[in-house]
Amino acid sequence: MRIITFILSFSFCFFGCALNTDFDYLGLIPKPALIERNSGETILDDDWTIKHNGSHPDLENLKNTLTQNLNSFHEIKLNDDSEKIISLIISSDDSLNTEGYVLNIFNDEINILANSPNGIYYGIQTLNQILDSGQKSNKGITILNMKIVDGPRFKWRGMHLDVGRHFFDISFIKKYIDYIAIHKMNIFHWHLTEDQGWRVEIDSYPKLTEVSAFRDETLIGHYRDEPRKFDGKKYGGYYTKDEMKEIVEYARKRYITVVPEIEMPGHSRAVLAAYPELSCTGGPHTVAKLWGVHKEVFCAGKESTFEFLEKVLIEVSDIFPGEYIHIGGDECPKDRWKEHELDQQRMRKEGLDNENELQSYFIKRIEGILNKLGKRLIGWDEILEGGLAPGAIVQSWRGMEGGISAVDAGHEVIMSPTSHAYFDYYQSKDRLDEPLAIGGYLPLEKVYQFEPVPEEIDSDKEHLVLGGQGNLWTEYISSSDKAEYMVLPRMSAMAEVLWSPRVLLNYRSFSNRMNWQYFRYDRMGAKYKKYN
Ligand code: ACM
């Protein structure tokens, strides 16, 4: 299948698509699947208007988005009486990808055609980028006539943000979503709970925001520094339900699904500080102030654990209408389960041979709860241990192996291996000029080399790889400036890998086009690392 895709791509490229560096001057990121030059050029000025066909409720919003973009980025103020028209057209063209679009610029006419409003939105992003590199004069902005036929390679184009280790306010979350949006990515994975802080308002359990959302102090410097020092300052915060709903709506308007992550059974010490009865020992526990993996986890033997999680997940489902809920599942030490009579009783009663199978039992019960709520469960690749829950989606992070095994077992996967997708890693080898990071080394080019479908996956199972994701863990990221610096421009590389046809990926071309992307970052007031 991959060979056929390559031959097809190669043959149509013969007739003039954006292979290698041909259209780099347009500065388009991610690179479109096909660009054809039409003869002539078009001048965009105030003497244009936007029309749309039909009654889809999003079309008016898309028109407003384009109007605002033209106004604020390009100083073009449209005029409703004009005869020159940008048409937004929702069609039903079988040859187009569900999120794909056709952008046709032809003299005094610009059409953006797609099967879905998402596609129109992406076409608008591309037109914006073309205007950036257009020629400005007192007549307006001159752009070349061209036709772009485009659509993403992968359905899951995600960015993650850990707000448990450090808390980021709603205005930054919106900015982060803006970055996701300009990259034609479509998933915001919001990692909302951690050992060091719980960030979600839950009406049934007020102590989650009174107690679990705050830690006594925070580590100064790196975990490995000796002796360890702490800052002595209470730290924390949480999002109200209204704020989270506002974020969901903000993301929806940008065709981004918010996937909340509620960690279990591990990374749950903050919950246990407020509700110690849900732990194996009964406590007392504190919200963690040190990074790493903690032994206190939800007790899998007590029914009250599942009652608590069910109530929490019902409220979480109500805030986040998307299809998916991420339940973590990673890094759950089994020490307490081994020592605790109730966990051991559960294992005997359920015929479970070891604690990995107890974890699997835990995740399967949670999957049952989520399915009743109409949701699908996603978990990190540790959920493979002891047996996968029947409909689970696996997010592979400890390499690609977890993803490969899950695909072999017929499960869908998201690839985000530390090797290519951990944006908390250093961006320079010697680390000398870089701010403190967790470790590792992940420069831009390495992100660009990421291939979410490894050779080990048979072609008839490739479709089970939904896509990939960049992850930002924030142990060492306490400010929004630093968060931006860690994700930009690595997000741009990830976006292109997940959107553009594999045969078109070319790092030299990407670097050329990044000059325009840096210009866009500047326009957004972003902090970023500039690669030469
Ligand atoms: C992870 O990085 N613990 C998923």
Side-chain angles (χ1 to χ4, degrees):
M1 177 61 196
R2 238 175 296 166
I3 292 174
I4 295 171
T5 314
F6 177 78
I7 294 170
L8 280 176
S9 312
F10 187 75
S11 55
F12 77 64
C13 282
F14 230 76
F15 301 102
C17 79
L19 192 60
N20 297 324
T21 54
D22 293 356
F23 289 97
D24 284 358
Y25 60 87
L26 292 173
L28 301 179
I29 287 189
K31 187 176 229 173
L34 176 70
I35 306 177
E36 282 175 354
R37 176 80 172 87
N38 293 332
S39 62
E41 53 193 37
T42 290
I43 300 176
L44 217 83
D45 55 20
D46 293 354
D47 202 17
W48 281 72
T49 187
I50 303 173
K51 297 243 158 83
H52 55 71
N53 76 325
S55 56
H56 193 290
D58 285 14
L59 280 166
E60 203 47 36
N61 179 39
L62 288 162
K63 178 179 168 182
N64 292 339
T65 302
L66 179 54
T67 305
Q68 275 165 19
N69 287 179
L70 291 174
N71 195 342
S72 53
F73 299 156
H74 309 295
E75 291 170 26
I76 291 172
K77 294 181 187 54
L78 301 177
N79 168 5
D80 272 350
D81 301 328
S82 178
E83 299 201 337
K84 290 188 273 184
I85 295 171
I86 303 176
S87 301
L88 309 180
I89 305 160
I90 297 206
S91 69
S92 49
D93 178 343
D94 289 345
S95 68
L96 264 184
N97 182 309
T98 36
E99 293 179 277
Y101 66 91
V102 178
L103 167 63
N104 204 355
I105 304 171
F106 201 82
N107 295 337
D108 291 343
E109 207 177 309
I110 296 177
N111 293 330
I112 301 175
L113 177 142
N115 289 341
S116 65
N118 314 39
I120 303 273
Y121 185 72
Y122 298 136
I124 289 173
Q125 301 294 332
T126 301
L127 178 60
N128 260 328
Q129 294 194 347
I130 291 171
L131 287 166
D132 286 338
S133 58
Q135 213 171 6
K136 305 199 174 60
S137 71
N138 53 10
K139 286 198 284 181
I141 303 179
T142 304
I143 54 179
L144 301 179
N145 287 340
M146 68 184 85
K147 181 175 178 185
I148 294 184
V149 183
D150 197 12
R153 178 176 172 208
F154 291 104
K155 155 178 177 181
W156 188 287
R157 304 181 302 283
M159 278 300 301
H160 153 286
L161 180 67
D162 164 17
V163 296
R165 271 54 175 266
H166 282 102
F167 180 71
F168 296 87
D169 65 18
I170 286 296
S171 68
F172 180 67
I173 301 299
K174 288 184 179 167
K175 215 169 166 202
Y176 201 76
I177 288 172
D178 289 341
Y179 296 135
I180 296 174
I182 64 157
H183 287 96
K184 301 190 175 100
M185 295 174 105
N186 61 356
I187 297 285
F188 171 45
H189 173 172
W190 205 359
H191 183 86
L192 285 161
T193 72
E194 258 309 332
D195 295 303
Q196 297 83 7
W198 175 282
R199 309 289 174 223
V200 192
E201 181 179 47
I202 298 290
D203 298 330
S204 316
Y205 297 103
K207 282 193 279 179
L208 288 173
T209 39
E210 287 158 20
V211 176
S212 311
F214 298 92
R215 60 177 175 260
D216 287 344
E217 53 186 354
T218 300
L219 185 72
I220 298 173
H222 201 277
Y223 182 90
R224 285 190 294 269
D225 295 347
E226 293 285 354
R228 288 195 179 121
K229 284 200 221 118
F230 293 86
D231 65 3
K233 293 183 204 144
K234 186 169 171 172
Y235 180 91
Y238 64 89
Y239 307 107
T240 65
K241 286 191 167 176
D242 283 347
E243 284 175 325
M244 289 180 282
K245 286 181 181 167
E246 188 182 324
I247 289 297
V248 166
E249 182 56 15
Y250 190 87
R252 190 193 67 76
K253 287 198 171 133
R254 290 154 182 80
Y255 301 93
I256 292 166
T257 301
V258 183
V259 178
E261 180 176 352
I262 307 296
E263 274 271 14
M264 63 189 80
H267 288 291
S268 49
R269 229 181 88 174
V271 177
L272 304 179
Y275 298 99
E277 62 276 18
L278 303 177
S279 70
C280 299
T281 65
H285 305 295
T286 52
V287 179
K289 57 184 189 176
L290 195 59
W291 317 129
V293 173
H294 295 263
K295 284 189 184 162
E296 301 308 331
V297 303
F298 281 112
C299 175
K302 294 178 180 170
E303 277 307 293
S304 53
T305 296
F306 296 98
E307 286 156 18
F308 168 88
L309 288 170
E310 178 159 17
K311 281 196 187 155
V312 167
L313 290 171
I314 288 171
E315 293 195 34
V316 168
S317 294
D318 182 53
I319 303 166
F320 298 98
E323 186 183 351
Y324 311 101
I325 292 190
H326 202 304
I327 55 79
D330 58 320
E331 298 180 321
C332 176
K334 310 295 184 304
D335 308 56
R336 295 291 177 260
W337 293 355
K338 284 192 178 133
E339 295 158 358
H340 189 218
E341 181 47 27
L342 283 183
D343 291 277
Q344 294 301 313
Q345 254 179 38
R346 171 86 75 198
M347 285 168 57
R348 287 193 294 277
K349 181 159 164 260
E350 299 292 335
L352 308 173
D353 285 342
N354 54 50
E355 285 72 20
N356 280 344
E357 290 188 13
L358 183 56
Q359 155 137 335
S360 166
Y361 164 88
F362 193 114
I363 304 293
K364 284 176 183 153
R365 271 191 76 168
I366 297 298
E367 182 177 52
I369 294 171
L370 288 182
N371 289 167
K372 269 199 291 172
L373 294 167
K375 304 287 184 184
R376 294 202 53 201
L377 177 145
I378 306 176
W380 300 105
D381 57 60
E382 286 92 331
I383 66 168
L384 279 152
E385 292 159 9
L388 264 180
I393 300 171
V394 172
Q395 182 163 8
S396 198
W397 72 281
R398 297 173 302 173
M400 308 284 266
E401 293 73 20
I404 295 167
S405 310
V407 164
D408 276 347
H411 286 252
E412 289 176 323
V413 302
I414 300 149
M415 295 295 196
S416 61
T418 52
S419 56
H420 294 80
Y422 269 46
F423 297 169
D424 55 339
Y425 283 13
Y426 279 101
Q427 301 195 67
S428 90
K429 200 165 199 165
D430 61 22
R431 304 177 178 184
L432 292 177
D433 301 328
E434 290 293 307
L436 180 71
I438 196 162
Y441 172 48
L442 179 53
L444 187 63
E445 187 163 3
K446 180 100 188 270
V447 179
Y448 199 79
Q449 287 159 359
F450 179 40
E451 170 47 44
V453 185
E455 288 298 322
E456 291 87 339
I457 291 184
D458 292 340
S459 53
D460 61 338
K461 293 206 164 144
E462 274 181 25
H463 64 281
L464 294 172
V465 179
L466 298 180
Q469 186 175 291
N471 295 336
L472 191 69
W473 300 100
T474 60
E475 287 92 334
Y476 300 98
I477 301 171
S478 56
S479 72
S480 55
D481 282 0
K482 189 164 171 187
E484 291 181 6
Y485 180 85
M486 298 306 274
V487 295
L488 300 174
R490 291 186 280 194
M491 189 192 289
S492 295
M494 181 60 78
E496 183 147 313
V497 164
L498 298 175
W499 179 281
S500 308
R502 179 116 189 101
V503 287
L504 297 187
L505 296 187
N506 174 311
Y507 189 68
R508 184 161 61 91
S509 159
F510 173 74
S511 301
N512 292 342
R513 287 175 285 114
M514 271 310 294
N515 290 318
W516 279 112
Q517 196 73 347
Y518 291 131
F519 161 82
R520 294 179 195 115
Y521 293 168
D522 285 332
R523 180 168 61 198
M524 295 172 89
K527 303 285 180 300
Y528 58 92
K529 180 175 171 76
K530 188 150 187 192
Y531 286 77
N532 295 315

